[in-house]
Amino acid sequence: MSVLKQKILDRTVTLGVVGLGYVGLPLAVEKAKAGFKVIGFDVQDQKVDMVNQGHNYIGDVVDSDLEKIVREGYLRATTDFASVASCDCVCIAVPTPLDAHQQPDISYVRSSAESIMPHMHKDMLIVLESTTYPGTTEELLKPILEKSGLKCGVDFYLAFSPERVDPGNLIYKTKNTPKVVGGCTPECTDIAATLYEAVLEAPVHRVSCPAVAEMEKILENTYRNVNIGLVNEMAMLCERMGINVWEVIDAAKSKPYGFQAFYPGPGLGGHCIPLDPYYLSWKAREYGFHTSMIESSMMINDRMPEYCVDRAMAALNDHKKAMNGAKVLVLGVAYKQDIDDYRESPAIRVIEALKKRGAEVCYYDPFVPEYREHGVVEKGIPALTEEVLKAADLVMVTTAHTTVDYDFVAEHAALIFDTKNAMKNVQKRENIRIL
């Protein structure tokens, strides 16, 4: 048994987590709760200061858990990557967004590797968790890390293990979600899997190489993208045919096999599902392959915000109102219900499209009192009052927060366009349009 593997089993290793966001902080907390000493690395002073003070800023982390492990010395944070030298295992969990040309931006992964490399030592494990295109670990990370003079698979271990964080999921958290691990060598896989088995309560699935693990993550999210694209197209067709698509889906999911329900909406949000298919399509072109079905679903989902604004405009026209100058209240800017995460939220694209059409837009979101887009801070209204609802020519529901009183909304709003079927239980429906 290797020295590092024994240290993991003995819980005498020091673990590092690079990136203290929606993925990294919950991972660091779970590792510390499992009895490991953890150092969190981030380039943002504010995040580092908050962690060191035991102040939580991520919805899926329990405030008291963070405060306790910081107080007991199991977790500390720093912006100084020199502390990597005292770590035995380092996980990279940084953003992998798209650039202005819808191509992968892996600059955060690259800079993380370059920051780690000067401080590496023998018998060290590096794991990339950031979602990326197949080949990143071996084609990008490995050459950078080997500039340290250490050889992968001989002097240090390298693996990919995709994050599976679902913000707001009340059942599956970091600790109880199964993990996939693929290392550059069988021993790399074994060491990385041993680490996750020591931290998590869920099983660890080992695959033959990092590329399989990278592709597996892309498949997970592309599967959702394609099926959501299908149901969004069905929603547009059903509207033309005068059929309630939500009733169609409810009927279809009564079948106990062969069908999984997906639901339409104003577009896709979050850090993974809207972005990952672009990573795959970009990489596929290197092999002269076009992901036609995937790209078709992306096109459908990408145009949903505009489609919803067109539907909103039609609803206003039916009430002899023009979109230009109309007062529109948007309910919800988070990308999914009951969370404060607005990354890639389609609601924000809806707001931008409404403003381009000349509407006067305000929004209410109990979880997101303000958001920043294109360097500008947008503030929501503080409360959903009768006066606010009556003043709106149109209310658009773009996030189905369960804390909103939809009966109250229906009672006082003149016209509602519900893109999420959040008001399905409202009895009085004369003023409600659904996607």
Side-chain angles (χ1 to χ4, degrees), residues 212-421:
V212 171
E214 290 160 341
M215 182 64 93
E216 176 279 321
K217 174 61 175 178
I218 296 287
L219 174 59
E220 286 181 33
N221 291 330
T222 301
Y223 168 81
R224 291 187 58 78
N225 194 306
V226 168
N227 280 280
I228 292 169
L230 169 64
V231 80
N232 276 332
E233 190 165 63
M234 287 289 290
M236 289 186 275
L237 175 60
C238 283
E239 191 273 330
R240 286 200 183 185
M241 298 178 69
I243 297 171
N244 183 327
V245 69
W246 304 92
E247 188 178 358
V248 171
I249 296 167
D250 282 345
K253 72 180 185 182
S254 67
K255 185 179 181 181
Y257 57 89
F259 180 83
Q260 180 180 353
F262 289 84
Y263 298 94
L268 293 177
H271 182 62
C272 287
I273 297 175
L275 277 60
D276 293 358
Y278 284 98
Y279 274 70
L280 183 58
S281 294
W282 175 82
K283 188 64 175 178
R285 288 196 291 274
E286 182 180 319
Y287 296 87
F289 189 92
H290 290 277
T291 53
S292 54
M293 184 171 69
I294 296 169
E295 290 172 22
S296 294
S297 70
M298 290 154 58
M299 289 169 58
I300 295 167
N301 293 328
D302 284 349
R303 75 167 183 255
M304 286 307 292
E306 285 285 347
Y307 172 77
C308 287
V309 171
D310 287 342
R311 289 281 307 276
M313 186 163 61
L316 284 167
N317 284 343
D318 289 345
H319 281 241
K320 295 181 169 49
K321 295 272 187 181
M323 176 66 79
N324 194 343
K327 294 179 179 179
V328 180
L329 170 61
V330 172
L331 295 188
V333 295
Y335 82 83
K336 62 185 287 192
Q337 68 181 43
D338 300 342
I339 65 170
D340 63 358
D341 190 349
Y342 60 85
R343 291 177 296 172
E344 306 295 331
S345 175
I348 294 174
R349 287 184 57 197
V350 167
I351 290 173
E352 292 175 345
L354 287 167
K355 288 180 177 179
K356 285 181 181 178
R357 304 283 182 92
E360 298 177 19
V361 185
C362 62
Y363 86 87
Y364 171 73
D365 191 312
F367 295 88
V368 187
E370 65 179 43
Y371 68 90
R372 179 181 292 273
E373 189 73 8
H374 307 307
V376 178
V377 175
E378 301 286 350
K379 294 184 179 292
I381 59 175
L384 198 57
T385 64
E386 179 180 339
E387 291 73 25
V388 166
L389 290 166
K390 286 184 174 178
D393 296 308
L394 174 69
V395 174
M396 275 188 80
V397 181
T398 47
T399 310
H401 289 313
T402 59
T403 54
V404 173
D405 185 343
Y406 293 108
D407 286 303
F408 179 78
V409 173
E411 181 181 355
H412 299 293
L415 178 62
I416 302 161
F417 179 37
D418 182 1
T419 70
K420 300 293 291 183
N421 204 27

Side-chain angles (χ1 to χ4, degrees), residues 38-148:
V38 182
I39 303 173
F41 298 88
D42 204 283
V43 296
Q44 296 184 34
D45 291 323
Q46 183 182 13
K47 286 183 178 179
V48 166
D49 291 342
M50 289 184 73
V51 169
N52 287 332
Q53 293 165 16
H55 295 163
N56 179 38
Y57 50 87
I58 298 293
D60 283 353
V61 172
V62 177
D63 295 359
S64 57
D65 285 349
L66 178 61
E67 192 276 331
K68 183 174 185 289
I69 59 178
V70 170
R71 185 181 68 247
E72 294 178 351
Y74 282 98
L75 173 63
R76 70 176 179 89
T78 181
T79 58
D80 184 5
F81 277 79
S83 294
V84 166
S86 62
C87 296
D88 300 287
C89 309
V90 177
C91 290
I92 301 171
V94 295
T96 48
L98 297 172
D99 64 18
H101 305 289
Q102 301 292 292
Q103 294 185 349
D105 176 4
I106 51 174
S107 59
Y108 297 103
V109 173
R110 181 182 290 106
S111 63
S112 296
E114 290 171 345
S115 297
I116 291 168
M117 182 270 294
H119 310 290
M120 289 176 62
H121 56 79
K122 279 180 68 71
D123 293 325
M124 190 176 195
L125 169 67
I126 309 294
V127 182
L128 177 61
E129 289 218 2
S130 305
T131 304
T132 183
Y133 59 83
T136 303
T137 303
E138 292 174 286
E139 297 169 10
L140 174 72
L141 228 60
K142 181 181 171 184
I144 293 174
L145 297 177
E146 287 188 333
K147 288 179 182 178
S148 64

